[in-house]
Amino acid sequence: MAFAVLGVRALGSNFWPHLEEGNLWIRATLPPTISLEEATPYVNRMRQIIRGFPEVVTVISQLGRPDDGTDATGFFNAEFNLPLNRLIPGPKVWTREADPADE
């Protein structure tokens, strides 16, 4: 009975996708009347700005609707996938207890 319970818990786990926790997904909305040729320089500039942060490994962007057709959007939709470098510490976060303005 114990082996059956342990076996059922692991059943199908090899089909689960690998989660990329800690990465960022950014969605930008441009004016709805923009064309593909007009939107491309904006997306390229956004990629350059995002890539300037040391935590970002690379920037993967898609302009327009998703390939699977799940969103009915036009060329005004830009999506960015940002894999982050986990070896670089993030920026220092101020907490209420450590706020120097209270002193």
Side-chain angles (χ1 to χ4, degrees):
M1 186 67 162
F3 288 119
V5 171
L6 292 174
V8 169
R9 287 187 58 190
L11 187 64
S13 63
N14 54 337
F15 297 106
W16 292 346
H18 175 70
L19 297 178
E20 296 182 12
E21 296 176 352
N23 294 350
L24 293 179
W25 185 263
I26 299 174
R27 184 174 188 173
T29 304
L30 301 169
T33 57
I34 199 163
S35 68
L36 179 62
E37 291 79 20
E38 291 175 317
T40 302
Y42 290 109
V43 171
N44 289 337
R45 180 68 181 133
M46 286 185 239
R47 290 183 73 201
Q48 288 175 348
I49 292 171
I50 294 169
R51 187 65 179 103
F53 290 93
E55 298 87 2
V56 176
V57 175
T58 188
V59 181
I60 304 165
S61 65
Q62 179 172 350
L63 180 59
R65 68 175 51 139
D67 294 333
D68 59 0
T70 56
D71 264 338
T73 61
F75 294 123
F76 57 89
N77 183 50
E79 296 178 349
F80 303 90
N81 181 15
L82 311 174
L84 299 178
N85 188 351
R86 286 160 183 58
L87 300 177
I88 298 175
K92 185 175 180 182
V93 178
W94 291 96
T95 61
R96 184 72 180 140
E97 294 80 27
D99 192 356
D102 291 339
E103 295 177 0

